[in-house]
Amino acid sequence: MTTRLRRGVPEGAEERVAELYWEAFGAKLGAALGPAGAGRGFIAAHLHHDRAVTALDDTGRVVGVAGYQLAGRGLVGGDAAAVRAAYGQVRGLYRVFLLALLERTPARGELVMDGIAVDPAARGLGIGGLLLGEIDAVAAEQHCRRVRLDVVAENPRARALYERHGYREVAVRRTPWLRDVLGFGAVTTMHKAVTAR
């Protein structure tokens, strides 16, 4: 399989990107955006197309996506009003609270990677590394000094990928109170310095 990278989410690929994101992060997002069908629908309807790098296979199908936050916007949008509109006023309020727990705001000169998702059938082909390389390029073009990401303790495979690509641990936040709600008990923040190109 030949893989090509593209900046942004291709028009018409919103549901596919939402499917990949849900497959990768549904356990973490389920309490806030579930059930799965509703969560995928919400993500697809609230994408900021210009806040992603996508990997496409020979047929043009999206097989990987890496989202990022920059200048106040990330890949998945949808404010509190959108959540309440989608899930109802009462249930939506609780969901807004849960989503706020997951929110990460970039510091000045920083690009925050929202997450990376690769089709399970395409894993092990180097797509994750290609996406990370393109995120580095975006950060350099935007004159960022570093890329920041968070990885949950329950995902050692992702952490190993990040470490292979130059990310280093800078902090660990223990969150045992979130284990029952969001499915993870610790979050590791990792940084990578951006090299000018």
Side-chain angles (χ1 to χ4, degrees):
M1 175 178 80
T2 303
T3 304
R4 64 185 170 88
L5 296 180
R6 174 191 165 130
R7 299 272 179 98
V9 174
E11 289 298 325
E14 295 83 3
E15 289 183 12
R16 175 64 177 152
V17 167
E19 176 187 341
L20 289 173
Y21 242 56
W22 193 265
E23 192 277 327
F25 305 110
K28 182 166 71 170
L29 295 174
L33 294 178
R40 288 191 302 265
F42 185 88
I43 291 169
H46 295 90
L47 290 175
H48 291 134
H49 288 68
D50 64 336
R51 290 297 189 257
V53 175
T54 50
L56 310 173
D57 69 9
D58 299 329
T59 68
R61 185 170 191 252
V62 176
V63 292
V65 59
Y68 60 89
Q69 286 188 50
L70 189 65
R73 290 183 29 246
L75 174 58
V76 180
D79 59 11
V83 174
R84 290 195 311 272
Y87 294 94
Q89 290 299 318
V90 175
R91 289 185 302 160
L93 190 60
Y94 172 71
R95 293 166 188 266
V96 167
F97 169 74
L98 291 178
L99 289 170
L101 295 175
L102 299 172
E103 189 60 36
R104 295 162 296 154
T105 303
R108 186 177 180 89
E110 181 178 72
L111 180 147
V112 172
M113 198 175 78
D114 278 338
I116 188 168
V118 176
D119 186 321
R123 289 181 186 156
L125 301 176
I127 293 171
L130 291 173
L131 291 167
L132 288 173
E134 195 65 15
I135 289 288
D136 289 351
V138 170
E141 289 167 16
Q142 295 297 318
H143 308 290
C144 295
R145 69 180 186 282
R146 72 178 179 211
V147 178
R148 184 181 103 214
L149 61 84
D150 290 329
V151 60
V152 297
E154 289 75 10
N155 196 350
R157 185 174 171 171
R159 179 177 173 144
L161 171 69
Y162 301 143
E163 287 174 340
R164 281 195 308 273
H165 289 274
Y167 288 84
R168 297 293 170 251
E169 174 185 316
V170 295
V172 176
R173 290 187 319 276
R174 307 267 177 234
T175 55
W177 59 92
L178 292 179
R179 185 177 301 281
D180 291 338
V181 179
L182 297 176
F184 59 89
V187 177
T188 300
T189 297
M190 304 181 83
H191 287 170
K192 181 179 181 181
V194 173
T195 306
R197 295 181 181 207

